[in-house]
Amino acid sequence: SGLLMLPWIVGRGDVGVYGAAYSVWTIYSSILASVATILFPSVLGKEEAFFLKYFRKLLPYYVIAFFACVFLALSAKWIIRLLFGIQFHGAVPLLVIFTTTFFLRFLAYPYGILLWTLKKPSILTKFTLLQLIVILPLNYYLIGRYGIVGAALAHMVVYGFGQCIFSPYFAMRCVIR
């Protein structure tokens, strides 16, 4: 939604910079998420209520993901220059924000698997709808105030921190019932 709202709020000039960071992040996160999608269910098994066991089993994968995200954040300047040229240097902080967002979402990933395992996909649907409702006004406010960085920050607040806080909350409510 940030990419769609940027031209209307700050003009078209920064859309390419935002798009450059977003495209690199999308490719990188798709690779990591694909690996997680394959590995997490087999590592977790069919245990439903033992969250500490989840995280103990997943700790090596979180460490790998953390270092993969740190690598991307530290090499963001060089990746953006290599792929898009020096004129896109404004994409570097955005790529770092997107990478942080991905890692926060990655932390909450097992809770989404748990909700699917418990046959509660409607909770995930409601949560996605809630994210959509929150991102629009937050984008409007933060883009108006901080430009393209505001769009990335709104993305991080809603999809990073929101996922990290609310996915465990909803999953725990389902398990406790």
Side-chain angles (χ1 to χ4, degrees):
S1 66
L3 193 56
L4 296 173
M5 294 177 77
L6 274 170
W8 299 102
I9 299 172
V10 295
R12 298 196 182 279
D14 290 334
V15 174
V17 173
Y18 186 90
Y22 197 82
S23 61
V24 171
W25 169 77
T26 301
I27 292 167
Y28 201 76
S29 65
S30 295
I31 292 168
L32 289 175
S34 297
V35 171
T37 302
I38 294 166
L39 292 178
F40 278 13
S42 62
V43 170
L44 296 177
K46 294 189 179 192
E47 302 167 36
E48 292 177 356
F50 302 108
F51 290 105
L52 290 177
K53 281 187 179 181
Y54 269 10
F55 290 105
R56 279 190 207 116
K57 287 181 175 183
L58 294 174
L59 187 59
Y61 301 101
Y62 284 128
V63 170
I64 292 168
F66 175 76
F67 283 113
C69 289
V70 168
F71 170 78
L72 182 61
L74 292 176
S75 60
K77 177 180 174 181
W78 305 108
I79 292 170
I80 294 295
R81 279 187 182 177
L82 177 69
L83 295 176
F84 301 102
I86 191 125
Q87 67 271 23
F88 284 88
H89 68 276
V92 173
L94 304 178
L95 185 53
V96 172
I97 292 169
F98 289 143
T99 303
T100 305
T101 303
F102 172 77
F103 187 72
L104 292 171
R105 291 179 79 178
F106 192 76
L107 289 173
Y109 192 73
Y111 294 105
I113 292 173
L114 178 68
L115 289 170
W116 277 104
T117 307
L118 295 174
K119 299 189 183 340
K120 303 281 187 179
S122 63
I123 293 173
L124 295 172
T125 304
K126 290 173 188 171
F127 182 57
T128 302
L129 182 60
L130 177 64
Q131 287 176 316
L132 180 62
I133 291 168
V134 172
I135 192 88
L136 294 175
L138 191 60
N139 258 335
Y140 183 77
Y141 174 74
L142 291 177
I143 292 171
R145 193 161 177 116
Y146 302 108
I148 57 175
V149 173
L153 289 173
H155 186 85
M156 183 170 68
V157 167
V158 172
Y159 297 111
F161 291 115
Q163 198 93 18
C164 245
I165 294 167
F166 290 108
S167 288
Y169 170 76
F170 289 132
M172 292 297 280
R173 285 193 61 198
C174 288
V175 170
I176 292 171
R177 285 185 182 178

